[in-house]
Structure formats: structure tokens, C-alpha cells
């Protein structure tokens, strides 16, 4: 019926200063300007945000779930990247 | 996951069993299935059907309440009602987005709604005849919806579960405003009290029907429970709802229209009278008081809005090269 | 009616509030909010359901504050007769198609934005309200401008509809710049800035500036004098019916 599907946009909201933008959901809009305004109305109408990004959904390249082992498992065996890897004598502060 | 190795190879028939195994293991471990994961076709189809129906219900559900926006009897009530109807549009949008992650488009889903190929909750095929109906919808219809929806926040499909978390959070005020509205009427003039009682009399049974047919007649329930799309059976949720409502009705000073309603000490639940399933199936088939009216209004809004959507698309195409400036910096 | 004299006291009892002005601004917001509320369930696209409701809710919030400055908000909204309403005829005009609604929004929100910005910068009794509202209205104005561009510069159909809508509502725009008793504003400058802004937006949208007269020929006056158009009585009948059917009831 409709020949003019508005493209899909992904919406990212910064909920307050100091935090990064987090994916909130998606919406349809004909262009970036209206996408931003629609996002404001839809995802921040209860004061949920101080800043918004909208990204055309088609512009996102995602890692494939099929590749999740080669992508993510190599990172799982490097415990020395995490602070809990290191034993510090009790009582030592500010570390 | 143990079976991830199998997922790395090309998806052909040989590996379907391995994929199925990985899917089953994820569901069993209460992990979430995400859009790009392999999933059985029937699981995908069930989700599309259910999420679409849910989204359609939000959108059609705007109508019976919007019917009273222009007549709301105080400015405070008017603001509350407008905000509530607006939320329903928003919830429809969240849900259509969740459905779209399954590879369907919103336009396609709307076409199916408009042509009657997909359904919405039958409750919205009942009319809102008085102002008290706005209260009864908030208390009973939203109450039943919340009883249904809270378990969906743990649904096995990630995008649906996340949409439901947002919906449930926002809907917490919907039921309370309905209850408060009815309370004001119940404690008001005799005419207002009668209006409230009349609304509860008309909405009680249809609300119980919102949980769907009895478990032994429900065609999709068993599989949906296995897939953890659904967490509780229709009858379980219906009973939970009845148990919650009875004391709430007492506090309201209103009666529920069921002479058989009484506490059963042995079961630890309220017993209630038989539901008229003939009415349920008839309304579902299209013979409810407002089926035609609701879908006609929806279709008209969509058709009359076509030129607006086309204009915005044409404008976007003409100005595709312009940078509005908003996209230039990330801050 | 609680609004008795030409001046009422604010809740804090400090600056006196000119009742005529509070009613004029409050009725504008109340009536336009009502009209936008009529879109619920009828908008051309779901995202616009949310946007139009946001604007309607902002306006209703403004109306409640303003009417409360003049008396009891519900008594004023529900128990006044048509001739006691002081809103502009522009805001009571029926929604028409989406183009008419957008043209009405463009004309009114540009006016309201400029007026509130001026009131906010002063130290009159409306300054605190105007300071809050001006941010809301800036968004309403932006929404109207964005859609004016898209409809004017979209398809042939949308261009034609938008042109007709701008023409049809033009004759209600002159009334906006009649001085309102109790509002300290430079009305001639306001009109000039409004015209510049609207001319600019319509120009960017490829739409001609309407050429007809910007006021009606009836010397009896218009909305600010309590004279309204035919659709307004019908709107009030619907809005007030339930409240009036139960005198003295609480809701």
C-alpha cells in the first residue's frame, strides 16, 4: 500500500552528562532532522536524556553471531587486563 | 557456548540440528535470543505474530480513550488522558521496532492490520460510553495487560523483552490513574457513583477474556511456554488478576458483576463464575460492537496521511545531499 | 466566576496579575491544545501522534498556569460562555488537513515564541511563566517550520495543500498584534519580526506569502473581544458538556 517507507533509524540517548550514549531503540523518519526530533519526542519525553544520536540503521555494520568465538573469545583469556587479577596486601589503599 | 563451533560453518541442512541444539540450550539456560542469532522459523513466526498483535493493540487501543480527550471533565484529567494516549502511540512504536528486528517492516505489519490479516486485542472492540469507562480501562484493562506483560519482560527474545521493560515502566501510571479516576467517581455524587458501577459492570468480563481462552483450548500456549516467550498459562494469569482485583474493588466501593465470586480457602484463590466464551469468539471473529469502526478509523488515518508521508520522503530525496549541521559533531 | 476584577493577585501575593492578559494567553493555549488533542488517533504517521500530543500537553500546562492566575482553572475552562473567551480566532480554527494544522502551528507558535521571549526578558508578572514556556514553544516553532518546509517543498500535492492552508488562515493573523491590556510588549515590532520570520520560512519552503488581508472586515472585533467563529461554539459544547452536566461534582 505504501510506496514511501521511511527508513529506520537507531536512537542513542545520553541519559546524563558524564555517561556515554546508550542504544534506546529505533524509529522511522524520512531524514536525519526529523529522526532527531522524533527521537526527542519518543525516547526522552520523560526527561530521560540530555543528548541524542540518530544513526541510519542501514549504516551499522554488526559483528556476526557466527563469528562470536573468533571475535570475543580471545579476549576472555587475558585476565591480566582486569584489576582483580592482581593480589595486593591487605591495608594498601588507593590502588 | 558449547555449540558455537557449529554456528561458524555455513548454515545448511546438515547443521540445522546443531543450530537447533544451540538455540535450545540458550533458551534452557535462560539466555536471550538476539536478532542475528539462528532461530527456528516457527519461533520467528510466533514472535512476529505476537509482537505485531501487541503493537496493533496499542495503536487501536488509543481510540476508545481518545474518544474522551475532548470531553475530559477537568483540565488535570485531560492532561493525564492525553499523556496516556500518547504513551500508547509510543508503546506501539517500541513494539513495531521490536518486530522489525525479526526481518519484517512496519509498513508490512500495518498493511496486515488494515486488511484484517493480523489481529489486535478484542478488548478494544468494546465502546467507551461514559467518562467512567476511561477509569475502568485504566484499572481493569491496563491491569490485565500489566499482569500479562510483566512476565514478558523476561521473554526469551531480547528486543521484545527490552521493549516490554520500557513499556511496563511507563505504564505504571496508567493503572493508577484509572483507579484514582474511579475512586473519585465512586465517592462523588450518586450519578457519578452509578456511572462508575455501570462501567465496571461492562468491562469486568471482557477484561477476564483478555487472558485468552482456557488453557485446554489455547492453540499456541504450550509451544510458547516451551520457548519461554510465555511464562505463565492463560488461566494462571487470569486467576492472579481476579485475586488482585477483588480487594481493590472493595476499596473502591464498587462491586464486580459476578455472583459466584467468593474466596476459596482450600485453593487460596477466589472462585469466579463461568466466562461467556461465545461472546469472546464472536468478538474475535469481527462481530463486536466496534470492530468495524476501529479498523475503519485506523485505515482512514493511514490513507489520509499518505500524502504527508510521501511529501516528507520526497523532500528527503531532494535534500539528500544537504548536511543539516546536526550530524556534523558527535557531542 | 472567581475572576472578578481586572487584576488578581498571584499565589505568592506579590505582583498583581492583569486578568485580561492572563485570560488571553491562557485561552490561546487552552483552545489550541484542545484542537491538537483532536488529532489523537488520526495523525498521518505514528511518530506525529507522539509529537502533536507533546505540543498539546505543553500548551495545556501553560493554560493551567495562566488560568490559575486569573481564577479557578476548571471554572474558567468549563463554565464560561463563548463570549467570555479571549483567545485568538486563529487557534480555534478546525484542524482541517495536516497542512492546515501545520499552517496554524507556524503562524501561532512563531507569534507565541516571539511574544514569550519578550515577556521573559522583562520583569512583568508573566516573566517566570514565559521563561519556562519559551523553551517549549521554541520546539513547537521548530516542528512547524520543519513540516512547512517538507510540505511546501515535498510533492505537488503537498505544496498545493500547504499553499491553500497558508492562504486560508492568513486572515486570522492580524489579530495577533492587537495590543492586549496588561501585556507590556512592542506590538508593532513583534508584528514586523513575525512577518520577517514567516516570510523567510515560506520562502525556503517555496511557498508564496499570502496576499489577502490579514484581518476580517467585521468592525465588531475578533477573539480578543470575545467574538468568535462558528466552529468555536461547537468545540466548547463538546469540551464543556460533561463538566456542566454534573454541577458541583469533583472529578
Amino acid at each position: 500500500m505504501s510506496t514511501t517507507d521511511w527508513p529506520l533509524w537507531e536512537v542513542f540517548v545520553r541519559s546524563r552528562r558524564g555517561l556515554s550514549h546508550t542504544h534506546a531503540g529505533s524509529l522511522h523518519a524520512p531524514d536525519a532532522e526529523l529522526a532527531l526530533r522524533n527521537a526527542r519526542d519518543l525516547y526522552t519525553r520523560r526527561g530521560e536524556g540530555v543528548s541524542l544520536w540518530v544513526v541510519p540503521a542501514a549504516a551499522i555494520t554488526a559483528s556476526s553471531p557466527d563469528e562470536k568465538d573468533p571475535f570475543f573469545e580471545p579476549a576472555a583469556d587475558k585476565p591480566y587486563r582486569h584489576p582483580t587479577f592482581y593480589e595486593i596486601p591487605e591495608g594498601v589503599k588507593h590502588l | 557456548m558449547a555449540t558455537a563451533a557449529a554456528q561458524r560453518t555455513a548454515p545448511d541442512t546438515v547443521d540445522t540440528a546443531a543450530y537447533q541444539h544451540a538455540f535450545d540450550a540458550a533458551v534452557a539456560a535462560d539466555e536471550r535470543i538476539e536478532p542475528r542469532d539462528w532461530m527456528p522459523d516457527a519461533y520467528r513466526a510466533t514472535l512476529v505474530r505476537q509482537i505485531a498483535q501487541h503493537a496493533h493493540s496499542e495503536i487501536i487501543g488509543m481510540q476508545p480513550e481518545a474518544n474522551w480527550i475532548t470531553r475530559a471533565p477537568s483540565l488535570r484529567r485531560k492532561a493525564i488522558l492525553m499523556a496516556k494516549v500518547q504513551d500508547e502511540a509510543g508503546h506501539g512504536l517500541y513494539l513495531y521496532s521490536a518486530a522489525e528486528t525479526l526481518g519484517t517492516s512496519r509498513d508490512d505489519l500495518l498493511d496486515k492490520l488494515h486488511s484484517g490479516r493480523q489481529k489486535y486485542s478484542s478488548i478494544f472492540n468494546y465502546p467507551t460510553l461514559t467518562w467512567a469507562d476511561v477509569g475502568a480501562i485504566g484499572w481493569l484493562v491496563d491491569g490485565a495487560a500489566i499482569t500479562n506483560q510483566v512476565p514478558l519482560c523476561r521473554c526469551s527474545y531480547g528486543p521484545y523483552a527490552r521493549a516490554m521493560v520500557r513499556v511496563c515502566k511507563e505504564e505504571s501510571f496508567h493503572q493508577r490513574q484509572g483507579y484514582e479516576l474511579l475512586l473519585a467517581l465512586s465517592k462523588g455524587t450518586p450519578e457519578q457513583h452509578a456511572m462508575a458501577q455501570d462501567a465496571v459492570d461492562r468491562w469486568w468480563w471482557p477484561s477476564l477474556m483478555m487472558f485468552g481462552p482456557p488453557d485446554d483450548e489455547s492453540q499456541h500456549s504450550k509451544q510458547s511456554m516451551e520457548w519461554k516467550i510465555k511464562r505463565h498459562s492463560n488461566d494462571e494469569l487470569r486467576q492472579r488478576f481476579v485475586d488482585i482485583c477483588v480487594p481493590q474493588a472493595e476499596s473502591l466501593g464498587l462491586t464486580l458483576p459476578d455472583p459466584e465470586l467468593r474466596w476459596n480457602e482450600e485453593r487460596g484463590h477466589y472462585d469466579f463464575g463461568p466466562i461467556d466464551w461465545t461472546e469472546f469468539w464472536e468478538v474475535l471473529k469481527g462481530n463486536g460492537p466496534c470492530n468495524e469502526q476501529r479498523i475503519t478509523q485506523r485505515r482512514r488515518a493511514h490513507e489520509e496521511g499518505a500524502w504527508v508521508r510521501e511529501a516528507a520522503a520526497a523532500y528527503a530525496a531532494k535534500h539528500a545531499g544537504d548536511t543539516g549541521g546536526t550530524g556534523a559533531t558527535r557531542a | 466566576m472567581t475572576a472578578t476584577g481586572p487584576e488578581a493577585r498571584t499565589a505568592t501575593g506579590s505582583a498583581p496579575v492583569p486578568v485580561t492578559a492572563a485570560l488571553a494567553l491562557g485561552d490561546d493555549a487552552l483552545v489550541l491544545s484542545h484542537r491538537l488533542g483532536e488529532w489523537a488517533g488520526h495523525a498521518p504517521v505514528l511518530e506525529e501522534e507522539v509529537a502533536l500530543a507533546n505540543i498539546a500537553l505543553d500548551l495545556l500546562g501553560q493554560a493551567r498556569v495562566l488560568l490559575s492566575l486569573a481564577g479557578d482553572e476548571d471554572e474558567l475552562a468549563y463554565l464560561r460562555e463563548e463570549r467570555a473567551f479571549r483567545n485568538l480566532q486563529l487557534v480555534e480554527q478546525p484542524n482541517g488537513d495536516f497542512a492546515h494544522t501545520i499552517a496554524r502551528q507556524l503562524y501561532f507558535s512563531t507569534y507565541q515564541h516571539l511574544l514569550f521571549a519578550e515577556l521573559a526578558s522583562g520583569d512583568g508578572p508573566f516573566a517566570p511563566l514565559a521563561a519556562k514556556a519559551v523553551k517549549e514553544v521554541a520546539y513547537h516553532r521548530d516542528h512547524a517550520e520543519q513540516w512547512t518546509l517538507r510540505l511546501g517543498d515535498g510533492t505537488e500535492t503537498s505544496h498545493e495543500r500547504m499553499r491553500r492552508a497558508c492562504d486560508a488562515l492568513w486572515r486570522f493573523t492580524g489579530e495577533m498584534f492587537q495590543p492586549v491590556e496588561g501585556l507590556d510588549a512592542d506590538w508593532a515590532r513583534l508584528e514586523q519580526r513575525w512577518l520577517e520570520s514567516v516570510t523567510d520560512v515560506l520562502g525556503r519552503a517555496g511557498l508564496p506569502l499570502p496576499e489577502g488581508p490579514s484581518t476580517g472586515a467585521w468592525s465588531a472585533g475578533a477573539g480578543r473581544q470575545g467574538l468568535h467563529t462558528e466552529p468555536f461554539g461547537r468545540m466548547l459544547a463538546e469540551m464543556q458538556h460533561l463538566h456542566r452536566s454534573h454541577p458541583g461534582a469533583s472529578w
Side-chain angles (χ1 to χ4, degrees), chain C residues 66-168:
Chain C
L66 285 159
L67 294 182
S68 297
L69 292 175
D72 177 88
E73 60 174 38
D74 285 338
E75 278 183 36
L76 288 168
Y78 292 100
L79 299 177
R80 267 184 302 163
E81 298 296 321
E82 180 178 331
R83 293 291 289 268
F85 278 82
R86 289 288 178 265
N87 57 281
L88 299 163
Q89 290 184 348
L90 174 67
V91 295
E92 75 201 30
Q93 295 311 304
N95 288 336
D97 64 3
F98 190 67
H100 279 76
T101 290
I102 291 301
R104 194 181 59 197
Q105 285 302 110
L106 177 71
Y107 292 163
F108 182 73
S109 62
T110 305
Y111 158 79
Q112 205 191 15
H113 188 232
L114 294 170
L115 177 61
F116 280 10
E118 192 171 341
L119 296 177
S121 66
D123 53 4
F126 296 106
L129 167 109
K132 175 174 182 288
V134 77
K135 293 179 200 151
E136 298 169 349
V137 178
Y139 183 76
H140 306 173
R141 183 179 177 181
D142 174 70
H143 175 266
E145 290 182 2
Q146 293 295 334
W147 273 111
T148 300
L149 295 179
R150 279 157 186 77
L151 298 184
D153 191 16
T155 62
E156 267 178 49
T157 306
S158 71
H159 176 87
E160 186 51 24
R161 281 177 183 259
M162 194 61 199
R163 190 191 60 73
R164 277 203 304 254
C166 289
D167 279 355

Side-chain angles (χ1 to χ4, degrees), chain A residues 10-33:
Chain A
E10 298 298 333
V11 179
F12 297 81
V13 179
R14 185 202 293 285
S15 56
R16 59 187 163 83
R17 302 178 67 84
L19 298 181
S20 49
H21 288 74
T22 310
H23 185 237
S26 55
L27 50 74
H28 288 266
D31 54 54
E33 288 175 305

